[in-house]
Amino acid sequence: MHRNIWRVTQRVASNLIVVFSGVAFYLALSHFDKVMGVFHQVVGIISPFIWGLVLAYLLDGAVRFFEQKVFKTGKNRVLPVLVSYVIAIVLLFLLLRIVIPQLVQSVMGLISNVPAYMDSLSQFAMEMAAKYEMETETLNNLLGSYEDLVSKVTNLLSKMLPQVFSYSVAIGSGVITAITALISSVYMLLSKELLLRQMKKVTYALLPLPTARKFLAICRDANETFGGFIIGKILDSAIIGVLCFVGLALLRFPYALLISVIVGVTNVIPFFGPFIGAIPSFFILLIVNPINALEFLVFILVLQQLDGNVIGPRILGDSTGLPALWVLVAIIVGQGLFGVVGMIIGVPAFAVIFSLFREFVNSQLEQKGIDERGEAIDRQPLPTEEEPENAEA
């Protein structure tokens, strides 16, 4: 009987997949620029659906809240989705109608008043130097360097403002993209259950049953981590921005709205956010009123302590479970790979990877019968009902 020596077994297929994957990986690295060019082109084509997915993901929490707590509509999500989008559009309108014009006015006012502010700062510095008998030559050098820095920043902002206004044309040309993203996000939210069932169906069809279940469990954990962290961080930053504005307004600080927006937006970035927002805000106040700048440092320190010890833990909890060192690593690596976006999503992404690696290490230790110190695990059988009586006897 003739034996087919070319029969493709599962082992042969696995080896072929490994070989072809290695060759494809090598070719991709050899032509990295072309691969990235194709990648960016594909991302540009599907970008409306990517933005739609992001929008749907951010609004899913609000939709579930209205669905389960307010309207209790069950599987009918039309009314919760409608209310969520109305609230989002109203907030966006208020941002564009009230906040943005005041921000632009503050920036333009700051630029036009820089010369007067620098004269006041120089006079204040000279008075302090005379009062405390400081060397005026060193102080003049410092003021000259700082004035040059402020002048460069002012010129840069002056050049950027017309470009910012010209972006309205680009926004107008991207209306179709925005509408497509909005419509796709609505469909994603309305068809959420159907899409999830289809994804599970494809996963079970393509992967072995244990692998498919493990993959879906990982997806659920990743969704909880990302959702809890991203949405919680946005809410936390919004609260910090509002508290900052209220505090600065009550203390009669100049440019309270501009500084509050800087502090609130940068607070979305984990770990480095408070420092990134405090530094430019401090220098803005320094050229206006040095005393206010010092008072702002005290105020922002108190506000960040309130955020770190009260507001943040209540909103975020331990949503990542990452030690502080790995949070720092995740932020730096994320920033190096994807910029500011990487700094934000790097922490939850690394939290998922860290959780998977920790689970893998624990399972390997359990299989070897040792603990984290390399010592054998004492596995005693659980006592039965007769054992206590025998022990007493």
Side-chain angles (χ1 to χ4, degrees), residues 137-202:
E137 183 178 356
T138 303
L139 187 60
N140 287 330
N141 292 332
L142 291 175
L143 286 175
S145 302
Y146 182 67
E147 187 172 358
D148 291 339
L149 176 62
V150 172
S151 177
K152 292 179 180 178
V153 173
T154 303
N155 293 333
L156 178 62
L157 290 175
S158 300
K159 294 178 181 178
M160 287 177 60
L161 279 176
Q163 296 180 4
V164 171
F165 288 118
S166 68
Y167 283 153
S168 59
V169 178
I171 294 174
S173 63
V175 168
I176 296 178
T177 300
I179 294 176
T180 305
L182 179 63
I183 295 176
S184 63
S185 66
V186 173
Y187 275 110
M188 289 177 189
L189 286 174
L190 291 176
S191 308
K192 175 185 174 181
E193 301 299 331
L194 175 61
L195 293 175
L196 290 177
R197 285 199 304 269
Q198 291 175 343
M199 291 176 60
K200 290 181 180 179
K201 183 178 179 180
V202 172

Side-chain angles (χ1 to χ4, degrees), residues 56-67:
Y57 190 82
L58 293 177
L59 291 179
D60 183 62
V63 173
R64 284 188 282 110
F65 171 78
F66 288 114
E67 180 183 13

Side-chain angles (χ1 to χ4, degrees), residues 53 116 184 191 230 272 307 326 355 364 377:
L53 178 61
S184 63
S191 308
I230 299 297
F272 292 111
D307 180 33
W326 296 116
S355 176
Q364 293 298 311
I377 300 176

Side-chain angles (χ1 to χ4, degrees), residues 229 233 236-237 263-279 300-301 304-305 307-308 312 316 320 322-333 335 340 342-348:
F229 181 82
K233 196 63 179 174
D236 172 63
S237 301
V263 170
V265 170
T266 56
N267 194 71
V268 178
I269 301 174
F271 194 81
F272 292 111
F275 304 101
I276 296 175
I279 291 174
I300 203 66
L301 179 62
Q304 292 302 332
Q305 290 296 316
D307 180 33
L316 295 172
T320 61
L322 277 180
L325 174 62
W326 296 116
V327 171
L328 183 61
V329 171
I331 295 172
I332 294 175
V333 174
Q335 191 277 333
V340 177
M343 296 178 72
I344 299 174
I345 67 173
V347 173

Side-chain angles (χ1 to χ4, degrees), residues 28-308:
L29 290 180
S30 302
H31 304 81
F32 186 73
D33 294 337
K34 294 182 179 179
V35 172
M36 291 304 297
V38 173
F39 174 77
H40 288 303
Q41 185 178 3
V42 173
V43 170
I45 294 173
I46 65 174
S47 60
F49 302 99
I50 296 177
W51 285 113
L53 178 61
V54 172
L55 181 58
Y57 190 82
L58 293 177
L59 291 179
D60 183 62
V63 173
R64 284 188 282 110
F65 171 78
F66 288 114
E67 180 183 13
Q68 299 172 4
K69 304 294 184 181
V70 180
F71 301 110
K72 298 179 181 180
T73 55
K75 295 182 178 181
N76 187 359
R77 312 190 85 200
V78 175
L79 186 58
V81 169
L82 178 62
V83 173
S84 300
Y85 273 92
V86 168
I87 294 176
I89 292 173
V90 169
L91 292 177
L92 181 62
F93 174 79
L94 292 177
L95 177 67
L96 297 176
R97 181 66 178 84
I98 300 175
V99 178
I100 299 299
Q102 293 189 26
L103 285 179
V104 174
Q105 183 179 0
S106 298
V107 173
M108 296 181 67
L110 179 63
I111 293 174
S112 61
N113 293 325
V114 162
Y117 290 148
M118 290 305 303
D119 291 339
S120 299
L121 178 61
S122 300
Q123 183 179 358
F124 175 81
M126 292 300 177
E127 293 175 358
M128 291 295 103
K131 183 176 181 181
Y132 295 102
E133 299 181 354
M134 299 173 58
E135 295 184 4
T136 56
E137 183 178 356
T138 303
L139 187 60
N140 287 330
N141 292 332
L142 291 175
L143 286 175
S145 302
Y146 182 67
E147 187 172 358
D148 291 339
L149 176 62
V150 172
S151 177
K152 292 179 180 178
V153 173
T154 303
N155 293 333
L156 178 62
L157 290 175
S158 300
K159 294 178 181 178
M160 287 177 60
L161 279 176
Q163 296 180 4
V164 171
F165 288 118
S166 68
Y167 283 153
S168 59
V169 178
I171 294 174
S173 63
V175 168
I176 296 178
T177 300
I179 294 176
T180 305
L182 179 63
I183 295 176
S184 63
S185 66
V186 173
Y187 275 110
M188 289 177 189
L189 286 174
L190 291 176
S191 308
K192 175 185 174 181
E193 301 299 331
L194 175 61
L195 293 175
L196 290 177
R197 285 199 304 269
Q198 291 175 343
M199 291 176 60
K200 290 181 180 179
K201 183 178 179 180
V202 172
T203 302
Y204 283 125
L206 297 179
L207 299 177
L209 185 59
T211 305
R213 288 175 176 171
K214 181 65 176 178
F215 175 76
L216 292 175
I218 293 173
C219 291
R220 285 193 295 268
D221 293 339
N223 177 55
E224 292 178 1
T225 302
F226 269 85
F229 181 82
I230 299 297
I231 298 176
K233 196 63 179 174
I234 293 175
L235 179 59
D236 172 63
S237 301
I239 294 175
I240 291 300
V242 172
L243 290 178
C244 182
F245 174 73
V246 172
L248 295 182
L250 291 176
L251 294 173
R252 299 182 181 277
F253 273 46
Y255 303 109
L257 180 61
L258 175 62
I259 294 173
S260 300
V261 171
I262 294 174
V263 170
V265 170
T266 56
N267 194 71
V268 178
I269 301 174
F271 194 81
F272 292 111
F275 304 101
I276 296 175
I279 291 174
S281 302
F282 170 77
F283 283 109
I284 289 174
L285 291 174
L286 183 62
I287 65 174
V288 179
N289 190 330
I291 301 299
N292 284 156
L294 297 176
E295 294 173 346
F296 171 76
L297 290 181
V298 177
F299 172 78
I300 203 66
L301 179 62
V302 174
L303 183 62
Q304 292 302 332
Q305 290 296 316
L306 177 65
D307 180 33

